[in-house]
Amino acid sequence: MIDLHSHILPGLDDGAKTLQESIEMGLIGFKDGIRTVVATPHTLNGVYQNDRSTILAKVQELNSAIKQLGVQETQSAICNPQSAIVNSHSNVVDPKSAFRNPHSAISLTVLPGADVHFSTELLNEIDEGKALTIGDGGRYLLLEFPVQGIPYGVEEVLFQLMIRGITPIISHPERNLEITLKPQRYFEMIKVGCFGQVTAMSLTGGFGGDVKRVAEKLLKARLVHIIASDAHSQNSRPPILSSAVRAAARIVGEEEAHKMVTEYPQAILNGQIPNIP
């Protein structure tokens, strides 16, 4: 599976605080079946101003740490094949044994991205190469609206982004108050070519029954297309997708739900248009 929205990078926002926590979040996702994580720290929201160079450096740091753990475990496993086995009594997995085995390449890849808050400076940041697109591919942008509503003038900015060849992916619309009460503006954004990303915990009830009902309504109407964790920690909002895929499958079927964490996000990472109904 591919997790297109995760606050896994250490020390950049309200997500992971340390490199060790980042690694442990990666381990949780890996055990759930995630093999690619797009690191999307908050930016342009008035609190966090993470620019492209900062995010790229942190992604390299995290990938190097994961790779080094794999190298160490490979060396250990050659000397002691039992070292990479999960302790069946404690049900604890050593992070060093989680990402690699002696017969495989690195199994978890972290890619750059950003959870870009809507701002009047957004187009300037794009034009100056400061705002990071998904996978740094220049084709898709994860865009976050204020939780209270959709700002004035959003449609023009979305239009200008698409003129620049960048397709906006609206993050967690089910948690936006205006979309909850009056979804028509959001519907029009999807009609003109934007995509929607629903948070995994919204589908499983982690944000309460009201958000869950909105998420299900958007999903049933095919107004959300990607399931992502929006993970912020190991516990309160962990990088888990499988339970949300099962929840989505009850609405759109297993095949479509699975595509929302595999085929569709892979197309986005490839710079292609997902083949969405």
Side-chain angles (χ1 to χ4, degrees):
M1 293 188 291
I2 298 169
D3 191 359
L4 215 62
H5 184 173
S6 176
H7 298 264
I8 193 173
L9 295 182
L12 291 188
D13 60 6
D14 56 348
K17 298 296 182 286
T18 65
L19 184 59
Q20 180 61 32
E21 184 177 4
S22 298
I23 292 171
E24 290 170 357
M25 285 174 66
L27 170 58
I28 292 170
F30 180 84
K31 290 173 64 181
D32 191 55
I34 295 168
R35 294 298 178 265
T36 301
V37 178
V38 181
T40 54
H42 292 293
T43 187
L44 296 183
N45 66 354
V47 179
Y48 305 108
Q49 298 294 121
N50 296 302
D51 59 19
R52 181 176 179 273
S53 60
T54 299
I55 295 169
L56 291 177
K58 283 288 186 178
V59 167
Q60 183 177 10
E61 177 189 26
L62 181 53
N63 276 318
S64 296
I66 292 172
K67 182 177 181 180
Q68 185 59 35
L69 287 175
V71 169
Q72 292 174 355
E73 181 55 31
T74 297
Q75 293 171 344
S76 173
I78 291 172
C79 299
N80 178 14
Q82 299 302 314
S83 65
I85 297 178
V86 177
N87 185 321
S88 60
H89 299 291
S90 65
N91 198 33
V92 172
V93 181
D94 181 353
K96 293 181 180 180
S97 67
F99 299 109
R100 240 190 214 214
N101 65 55
H103 308 293
S104 71
I106 298 172
S107 299
L108 184 71
T109 300
V110 181
L111 299 176
D115 191 9
V116 182
H117 196 80
F118 179 81
S119 163
T120 55
E121 296 299 313
L122 176 57
L123 293 176
N124 289 334
E125 295 287 326
I126 289 290
D127 292 341
E128 294 173 8
K130 295 179 180 178
L132 197 58
T133 53
I134 292 177
D136 197 23
R139 294 295 305 275
Y140 289 91
L141 183 80
L142 190 66
L143 186 62
E144 177 186 45
F145 295 144
V147 66
Q148 299 89 349
I150 302 173
Y152 175 79
V154 161
E155 287 81 1
E156 176 61 24
V157 174
L158 296 180
F159 177 70
Q160 291 296 329
L161 284 172
M162 297 180 82
I163 285 179
R164 289 162 169 79
I166 298 173
T167 300
I169 299 176
I170 311 303
S171 63
H172 45 72
E174 76 282 358
R175 291 191 272 140
N176 180 279
L177 183 59
E178 181 174 341
I179 294 174
T180 297
L181 299 175
K182 295 182 292 183
Q184 185 61 32
R185 282 183 74 190
Y186 173 72
F187 171 71
E188 294 296 330
M189 295 174 193
I190 300 303
K191 261 178 56 173
V192 299
C194 297
F195 294 100
Q197 172 258 302
V198 64
T199 302
M201 282 180 59
S202 296
L203 288 170
T204 58
F207 289 99
D210 290 342
V211 171
K212 184 173 186 288
R213 282 187 287 274
V214 174
E216 291 173 342
K217 182 178 180 180
L218 293 175
L219 180 62
K220 189 175 295 184
R222 300 300 199 273
L223 294 175
V224 287
H225 316 94
I226 307 294
I227 300 172
S229 72
D230 191 5
H232 277 65
S233 67
Q234 303 156 257
N235 301 312
S236 60
R237 205 186 304 179
I240 300 293
L241 294 179
S242 59
S243 53
V245 172
R246 289 193 294 271
R250 292 193 286 270
I251 299 172
V252 296
E254 290 186 12
E255 182 179 359
E256 181 67 15
H258 187 65
K259 286 181 179 180
M260 295 176 73
V261 294
T262 55
E263 180 181 318
Y264 300 156
Q266 185 63 64
I268 287 167
L269 290 176
N270 292 343
Q272 301 168 343
I273 300 174
N275 185 26
I276 291 174

